[in-house]
């Protein structure tokens, strides 16, 4: 297959590398030529374009059999979200209209579920997030679902949970730096997916995902923050982090969701089998790899 990956970052780059290993012809888009060597090193043919600029997209050598949009907003503000996700997606739909790919995969986010009561959520659950940025993601999904319905673009949406893996995983990184704090009583639920699984989920969606369908890309075990830290604490032989102060909790609480994201559709429809079914396997691998590299110097911090 001739594949285009738009946004060759933390996920897009190893995705491209995996597709190259499987024998596909892979092109990768970024906004600048800076990282070209990184792409070439894994066999991806680098292209420069900004999807917020239709005139730059027009120069990308189409057609493609598969297109993946793993672009991410760097700053994170609402206006940038609108530009990068919503307008970027509209531009892609327009650009691909005359030569649609066989499959188009977009990585949305589980932040579109605004539930705060710890309830299980699946793809058909209510999506009414309080956060303005998540509302933009819902709008982006709608634009893609409409395009799929009108048979303009065979789009598949993956709602991705918190990605962790080499050098990533916010709470884990904070914990290693002794900067983590337990929010509230630690009862908030975290939903995660390992980067290597996400790569394989995207490939499964390219191969077998149904156009106009949404799949949650999340592992088998939603876990409360306190249980996550307890596991890390035992695995690393390190103190539990302290509880956040009332002020810190008040500052953080706004817009936070709390839900257990379900992955049944991913497993039943795409037959996806996880390499890291839970954070336990995924973080065991990360910890071992840090240990082997001599980068895990745990010293119990004073209390
Ligand atoms: N991180 C998470 O926990 C999480 C959770 C849910 C969903 N997601 C989604 O998962 C996907 C992959 O995330 P990631 O962590 O791999 O992101 P990332 O590491 O930030 O990579 C994003 C890539 O997109 C490129 N890019 C940014 N703006 C662009 C534009 N306007 N036009 C073309 N390329 C552009 C960036 O390269 P240049 O800067 O060089 O252009 C970079 O290579 C994203 O869609 C993200 O929204 C992430």
């Amino acid at each position: 297959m001739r594949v285009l990956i738009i946004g060759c970052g933390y996920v897009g780059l190893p995705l491209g590398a995996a597709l190259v290993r499987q024998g596909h012809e892979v092109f990768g888009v970024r906004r600048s030529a800076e990282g070209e060597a990184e792409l070439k090193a894994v066999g991806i043919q680098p292209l420069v374009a900004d999807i917020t600029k239709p005139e730059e997209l027009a120069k990308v050598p189409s057609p493609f059999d598969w297109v993946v949009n793993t672009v991410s907003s760097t700053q994170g503000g609402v206006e940038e979200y609108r530009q990068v996700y919503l307008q970027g997606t509209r531009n892609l739909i327009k650009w691909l209209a005359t030569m649609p790919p066989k499959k188009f995969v977009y990585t949305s986010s589980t932040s579109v579920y605004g539930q705060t009561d710890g309830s299980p959520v699946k793809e058909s659950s209510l999506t009414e997030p309080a956060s303005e940025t998540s509302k933009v993601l819902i709008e982006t999904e709608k634009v893609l679902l409409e395009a799929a319905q009108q048979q303009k673009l065979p789009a598949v949406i993956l709602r991705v949970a918190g990605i962790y893996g080499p050098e990533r995983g916010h709470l884990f990184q904070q914990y290693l730096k002794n900067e983590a704090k337990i929010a509230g009583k630690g009862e908030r639920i975290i939903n995660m997916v390992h980067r290597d699984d996400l790569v394989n989920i995207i490939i499964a969606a390219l191969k077998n995902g149904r156009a106009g369908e949404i799949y949650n890309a999340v592992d088998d075990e939603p876990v409360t923050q306190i249980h996550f830290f307890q596991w890390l604490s035992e695995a690393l032989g390190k103190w539990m982090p302290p509880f956040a102060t009332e002020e810190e909790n008040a500052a953080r609480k706004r817009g936070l969701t709390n839900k257990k994201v379900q992955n049944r559709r991913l497993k039943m429809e795409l037959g996806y089998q996880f390499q890291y079914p839970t954070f336990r396997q995924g973080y065991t691998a990360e910890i071992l790899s840090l240990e082997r590299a001599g980068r895990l110097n745990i010293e119990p911090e004073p209390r």
Side-chain angles (χ1 to χ4, degrees):
M1 295 282 182
R2 194 176 145 92
V3 192
L4 179 67
I5 299 168
I6 306 160
C8 271
Y10 189 66
V11 175
L13 185 72
L15 169 66
L19 288 165
V20 167
R21 285 197 300 274
Q22 291 180 12
H24 301 284
E25 187 187 8
V26 183
F27 296 80
V29 168
R30 276 185 183 170
R31 285 168 301 181
S32 79
E34 259 173 44
E36 275 192 356
E38 217 184 343
L39 271 65
K40 281 184 184 159
V42 294
I44 302 173
Q45 300 178 48
L47 298 169
V48 175
D50 182 333
I51 63 163
T52 66
K53 299 177 180 155
E55 67 280 10
E56 291 191 10
L57 268 182
K59 290 183 198 148
V60 173
S62 52
F64 296 94
D65 299 303
W66 289 342
V67 176
V68 183
N69 179 8
T70 40
V71 155
S72 181
S73 98
T74 20
Q75 306 294 322
V78 183
E79 198 35 51
E80 204 205 345
Y81 261 60
R82 288 206 156 273
Q83 278 305 313
V84 172
Y85 293 110
L86 187 56
Q87 195 52 45
T89 298
R90 284 192 180 127
N91 294 343
L92 286 174
I93 293 172
K94 216 167 170 188
W95 171 60
L96 291 168
T98 51
M99 55 300 127
K102 295 185 179 81
K103 202 70 65 71
F104 178 98
V105 171
Y106 163 66
T107 45
S108 181
S109 165
T110 54
S111 71
V112 299
Y113 302 113
Q115 285 78 349
T116 56
D117 59 356
S119 57
V121 294
K122 53 184 179 181
E123 290 81 351
S124 56
S125 297
L126 197 69
T127 49
E128 286 186 352
S131 126
E132 292 303 318
T133 48
S134 301
K135 284 178 190 164
V136 176
L137 298 184
I138 288 284
E139 267 189 83
T140 308
E141 287 190 358
K142 274 193 190 139
V143 165
L144 279 172
L145 293 175
E146 269 168 32
Q149 233 169 25
Q150 296 163 3
Q151 311 219 316
K152 279 191 196 157
L153 187 71
V156 176
I157 293 169
L158 297 175
R159 288 184 179 151
V160 178
I163 304 167
Y164 73 97
E167 313 297 329
R168 280 264 185 119
H170 181 61
L171 287 181
F172 178 63
Q173 301 292 340
Q174 276 192 320
Y175 182 52
L176 289 185
K177 288 188 270 179
N178 297 331
E179 287 170 7
K181 299 248 171 106
I182 301 168
K185 294 182 186 133
E187 68 277 53
R188 181 167 181 251
I189 298 159
I190 315 166
N191 297 279
M192 290 178 265
V193 65
H194 192 284
R195 195 259 320 256
D196 296 354
D197 271 312
L198 182 55
V199 162
N200 289 325
I201 291 168
I202 294 172
I203 296 174
L206 285 169
K207 288 182 177 161
N208 301 317
R210 277 190 296 145
E213 200 54 90
I214 299 172
Y215 303 87
N216 290 335
V218 58
D219 72 16
D220 286 345
E221 192 179 334
V223 59
T224 59
Q225 203 188 74
I226 196 142
H227 281 123
F228 177 62
F229 280 130
Q230 273 166 353
W231 184 86
L232 281 182
S233 168
E234 277 168 33
L236 293 166
K238 181 175 158 66
W239 292 87
M240 283 285 282
F243 284 91
T245 62
E246 270 180 42
E247 293 79 41
E248 286 168 330
N249 280 326
R252 271 186 224 188
K253 210 163 185 174
R254 255 176 297 127
L256 283 186
T257 63
N258 194 27
K259 69 243 171 173
K260 292 188 193 115
V261 184
Q262 312 286 288
N263 63 14
R264 189 165 189 272
R265 180 176 287 169
L266 179 73
K267 289 162 97 174
M268 299 303 280
E269 272 193 31
L270 300 187
Y272 187 74
Q273 293 187 343
F274 279 88
Q275 188 178 345
Y276 302 109
T278 80
F279 67 92
R280 296 163 208 277
Q281 292 85 6
Y283 271 109
T284 297
E286 294 315 313
I287 290 167
L288 288 176
S289 138
L290 287 174
E291 243 169 22
R292 273 195 294 266
R295 292 177 52 203
L296 206 59
N297 307 310
I298 306 287
E299 283 176 32
E301 64 271 33
R303 278 285 193 275

